[in-house]
Amino acid sequence: KYFDVDDLVFEVDHGSIPKPSLQYMYTPHVLSPSPVTETVAKYDRKFSVPRCADYSVACNTGFDLIWNVGDEEPNFPNSIDTCSDSTGPTAHKFEAVRYISVRSTKDTIMTVGDWISIIARVYSPNDKSLRPMSEDNQFILHFYYTSDFEPRWKYIASRFRKPGDSWFEVKHMLPKGSLHAVRVIYGYGRFLVGPCVKSWEYYDVDDLMFTVVEPFSTVLPSLAPTSSVAEEDLVAVYDTEFTAPRCFDVGASCNTWFKNGGVGRDANGGYENNAPNTIDGCEDYSIGKRGHDESIQSMKVASVDGAFLSVGEKARIEAYVFKAKDTSSRSNPNEKEYAHFWYAPDAKSKDWSHLRSTSFDPGSGGLMRLNLNFTLQPGDSTQAVRLTYGYAESRYMGPCDRMDKYFDVDDLVFEVNHGAIPVPSFQYIATLDSPLPNHSKSIAATYDS
């Protein structure tokens, strides 16, 4: 009846790792699995491990890829450096890593500098006579981490537990690099630290590889992925003049790299950095929850031919949106979601032209990529694109008509090259190739000297 408990959190230097006391060894850190929707990894033959190749909020191995241990484990040993499990004749009956998951603690796309949760499910026999715990022998779980920026295993933490089936979690900040991997080692024996403990008689080691957004280019070592951010591929930064992400120079592309992912202002329960990220103050209108309802996560403008963005040339808009998971509880359930693309050849004028609209069904959650090709028009060297994305009532709308409770709008400002603009032929002037956009405006001509 009279009991008090207090914690103290502190920082330490990483040097030699002392052996913890038995009191700590007998205190398992047990969690339940997270309900966050995760991308399930697929076995990658190049790296010989389960891998999530695309950007995601979370990545897991599922329960099929690493369920067992030793010869009973699919694609054994599931490690990028061929570190092997114990392979005794009864290995599959004993210590095993059954599941590994990594997920953003913010439920946004995993990005360098963000914190992630690493979750592991492990198993060992309940029969204590098979594994008598003592000062010298324990059930031990080790977590290790690496990335292509510094391709060597780094120790994160250890956990100690009693027999049975349990979940464990540790937190880790994502280091530099775009290709990352986590390793979980679980076994029975003395407390030994190393990325490939082979002195234990019973143990399992498994890796999970995944892709992380890298906001800025880095020096990529030998384990680098197939592509990187080139010099002419620019990363947008928030511009206080336009109040939106902006690339200040001309490049082959301009990308927000998920830095303004989310919807709504913090003060109104939203979670978008620098919301609303629009050049004309157009606001989001959403009561949506993070990782559950509609939001725009990233936008990119790129030249189709890989050259610098230039007037008269083809460009492509690439956008990642987060689809709603479940709309059954809304007042108008099971309607479609709508995305509308807009373009301002002169960002200063804030005069938007409609490019195209598309619709799709919600209900699956997770990211969807939207692509649209268009031609860069003469106007000003500073131009902008806009995406409006929402549910149901967003079907018919202008560049800033907030018709729904679930609505997000984001802009991207970029620079283009202005070359000589050819004078069109009379034949072209007399031929209307396509109908005017639904939201075009009639503009009065002025005399051009």
Side-chain angles (χ1 to χ4, degrees), residues 68-145:
N68 246 317
V69 59
D71 296 333
E72 300 290 331
E73 181 180 289
N75 303 305
F76 162 81
N78 285 300
S79 61
I80 60 178
D81 53 6
T82 67
C83 180
S84 183
D85 310 340
S86 60
T87 56
T90 57
H92 64 284
K93 296 181 180 179
F94 299 130
E95 288 75 11
V97 179
R98 291 187 164 179
Y99 174 93
I100 304 173
S101 170
V102 294
R103 65 178 177 87
S104 164
T105 58
K106 300 188 297 184
D107 289 342
T108 55
I109 300 298
M110 290 185 287
T111 304
V112 169
D114 289 346
W115 285 88
I116 60 169
S117 291
I118 305 171
I119 299 175
R121 180 184 179 183
V122 298
Y123 173 79
S124 60
N126 288 308
D127 188 350
K128 296 182 179 180
S129 64
L130 295 173
R131 303 285 188 272
M133 289 191 291
S134 66
E135 180 72 24
D136 295 326
N137 294 294
Q138 303 294 323
F139 295 106
I140 306 170
L141 181 70
H142 293 316
F143 292 88
Y144 283 84
Y145 201 92

Side-chain angles (χ1 to χ4, degrees), residues 26-58:
Y26 286 124
T27 307
H29 182 84
V30 182
L31 294 174
S32 299
S34 168
V36 176
T37 300
E38 300 180 349
T39 301
V40 178
K42 296 181 180 179
Y43 182 74
D44 189 303
R45 295 186 179 277
K46 177 181 178 182
F47 294 102
S48 303
V49 294
R51 178 188 178 194
C52 293
D54 295 326
Y55 300 123
S56 61
V57 174

Side-chain angles (χ1 to χ4, degrees), residues 303-320:
S303 63
V304 171
D305 60 4
F308 287 94
L309 293 163
S310 301
V311 168
E313 300 299 325
K314 290 285 186 181
R316 179 178 64 256
I317 303 173
E318 296 180 3
Y320 282 90

